Amino acid sequence: MIKEDNIFQEEMDFYVGEKRPKMAICYDFDRTLSPDDMQTFTLIPSFGVDKEEFWHESDMLAEENLMDNNLAWMYELIKYSKFKGKSLRREYFKQIGADVQLYEGVESWFENVNAYAAEHGIEVEHYIISSGLKEIIEGSRIAPYIKRVYASSYLYTADGVAEWPAQAVNYTTKTQFIFRIAKGFLEEYDQRVNDSLPHDSRNVDYENIVYIGDSATDIPCMTLVKQKGGYSIGVYDPVSQNKKKVYKLFGDGRLNFYAPANYSEGSPIFEYMKTVIDEISAREKQKKEQTELARSADRYKKRSILERVLSSSCECLSDEEKEILNSMIVHLDEQ
């Protein structure tokens, strides 16, 4: 028995459920959006400790104990807080986040990029993937523009006091978040990030992902994104003009572009981002056109099959079945 129900549901899904193409921009934070490590602006000075001394002690702790560097500085913060009798509270971290300095143009960057992308039919999601402290970033002035912050964080007591690392993000551990963003499994505990997903089920295509960073800790993400067809951009401090790191990253094939960390409209990095958006927009238009052409060809194929069935099996078909087949042909002609 021939049934017409749901035969053309995929056609309706295509035309009714069509959404704007999406891209994701992922940022490191320290020395990428901010000119220094976020802890150095308020947090470390609040303990009365010189920042150079703090980082030296932290690095030595990591080296002597074969310890991850992030876990080392997180331990050092707790140690100093106990020594100074100063509790490390979630609210305090978010409070000092507002004092973190940002490079020129960062605060207007997100709206400017979103507006340019919208003009080209692209929706933008912004993510932070940082070795710094999540709660400080969440207290920063740019937090409202960020869809998700992936960074090191503490486990807190019932009173809101930091007592143990909950997440330490560094080097290759950063790459898992690229997969999370692409697949749409954004929660850190969601193990579906390891599942294979068909292309049309992803949150963002890998080729529509941009990663912006400044140093060796960003290399795994830069490499992954670039290998997947996306874009990697390196930045350097516009004051010191020290380009040594980006020269090496570019020379090693890690980057598509590099530029000073000035995010103002009209700056080199803004122009590079416009180029990336232009390319993504053109590619997405081409995909849409190819999809529509494929659907037209598929409809022609379906119509030919239905006509052959009608012409070769008329005696075997009931009047009701013939009517269904004819209505299906009419439906295909109307698409």
Side-chain angles (χ1 to χ4, degrees):
M1 180 67 180
I2 298 174
K3 292 186 178 180
E4 192 175 6
D5 297 346
N6 298 322
I7 290 179
F8 297 107
Q9 185 62 47
E10 63 180 41
E11 295 286 342
M12 294 183 65
D13 290 342
F14 176 71
Y15 290 106
V16 176
E18 189 175 4
K19 297 179 181 179
R20 280 196 304 167
K22 187 185 294 183
M23 66 178 288
I25 307 177
C26 308
Y27 312 81
D28 178 41
F29 192 88
D30 295 336
R31 294 185 172 84
T32 295
L33 299 177
S34 174
D36 205 344
D37 296 311
M38 64 186 73
Q39 301 92 330
T40 64
F41 293 106
T42 302
L43 184 56
I44 293 174
S46 71
F47 295 131
V49 181
D50 178 73
K51 68 175 184 178
E52 301 299 335
E53 178 185 348
F54 176 88
W55 291 118
H56 175 72
E57 289 183 6
S58 173
D59 290 342
M60 290 300 297
L61 178 69
E63 184 177 336
E64 291 170 0
N65 294 277
L66 303 178
M67 192 175 182
D68 178 85
N69 287 86
N70 274 32
L71 291 173
W73 67 253
M74 294 176 81
Y75 171 84
E76 286 290 299
L77 287 180
I78 291 178
K79 183 186 78 173
Y80 273 109
S81 73
K82 291 179 178 178
F83 179 73
K84 297 289 185 177
K86 184 180 180 67
S87 296
L88 290 178
R89 295 183 173 274
R90 189 195 304 267
E91 294 78 10
Y92 176 63
F93 287 138
K94 288 192 175 181
Q95 177 186 340
I96 64 177
D99 298 326
V100 172
Q101 294 177 23
L102 301 168
Y103 277 123
E104 184 177 351
V106 168
E107 291 184 63
S108 60
W109 162 269
F110 302 95
E111 290 186 354
N112 289 338
V113 168
N114 291 350
Y116 185 84
E119 291 174 2
H120 290 73
I122 303 295
E123 177 186 348
V124 184
E125 293 179 347
H126 302 274
Y127 296 86
I128 300 289
I129 305 177
S130 170
S131 296
L133 201 58
K134 180 179 182 178
E135 289 79 3
I136 292 181
I137 299 171
E138 289 178 337
S140 69
R141 298 185 296 279
I142 64 172
Y145 301 104
I146 308 303
K147 182 175 178 67
R148 190 88 182 194
V149 175
Y150 293 114
S152 302
S153 60
Y154 282 107
L155 173 69
Y156 295 88
T157 66
D159 296 328
V161 178
E163 66 172 354
W164 194 263
Q167 185 80 254
V169 177
N170 206 357
Y171 293 97
T172 53
T173 61
K174 284 186 170 187
T175 58
Q176 68 160 299
F177 303 113
I178 299 296
F179 292 109
R180 291 195 178 281
I181 291 163
K183 296 180 180 182
F185 302 135
L186 302 182
E187 299 294 342
E188 287 88 340
Y189 58 79
D190 195 334
Q191 296 185 16
R192 290 178 299 169
V193 69
N194 297 310
D195 293 350
S196 177
L197 278 186
H199 176 81
D200 57 359
S201 297
R202 292 175 189 156
N203 176 49
V204 185
D205 286 339
Y206 287 106
E207 61 187 8
N208 290 0
I209 295 178
V210 183
Y211 187 87
I212 302 177
D214 73 293
S215 65
T217 62
D218 301 305
I219 287 176
C221 281
M222 290 174 171
T223 301
L224 172 64
V225 168
K226 200 162 180 285
Q227 286 178 343
K228 291 282 190 179
Y231 305 82
S232 292
I233 301 176
V235 296
Y236 58 90
D237 185 75
V239 175
S240 69
Q241 288 287 309
N242 185 346
K243 304 178 186 178
K244 183 177 179 180
K245 291 180 182 177
V246 293
Y247 281 158
K248 178 168 176 52
L249 290 170
F250 190 84
D252 290 342
R254 316 286 191 183
L255 303 176
N256 296 91
F257 308 102
Y258 60 83
N262 179 333
Y263 294 82
S264 303
E265 190 170 8
S267 65
I269 193 171
F270 188 78
E271 294 303 311
Y272 288 146
M273 187 57 65
K274 286 167 62 177
T275 298
V276 169
I277 292 170
D278 290 345
E279 288 186 3
I280 291 175
S281 177
R283 187 167 59 239
E284 290 295 334
K285 287 178 182 177
Q286 185 180 64
K287 285 182 186 176
K288 182 179 178 181
E289 290 169 359
Q290 290 174 337
T291 299
E292 291 176 347
L293 290 171
R295 287 182 179 276
S296 295
D298 186 56
R299 284 193 292 271
Y300 173 78
K301 180 180 179 181
K302 288 176 181 177
R303 193 185 195 286
S304 299
I305 293 173
L306 292 173
E307 288 178 333
R308 287 200 301 271
V309 171
L310 271 174
S311 62
S312 63
S313 308
C314 283
E315 296 180 0
C316 303
L317 297 174
S318 67
D319 290 340
E320 182 183 356
E321 288 174 325
K322 291 178 183 178
E323 184 178 345
I324 290 175
L325 288 173
N326 277 312
S327 68
M328 291 167 66
I329 291 173
V330 170
H331 181 85
L332 287 169
D333 289 339
E334 291 175 346
Q335 296 301 312

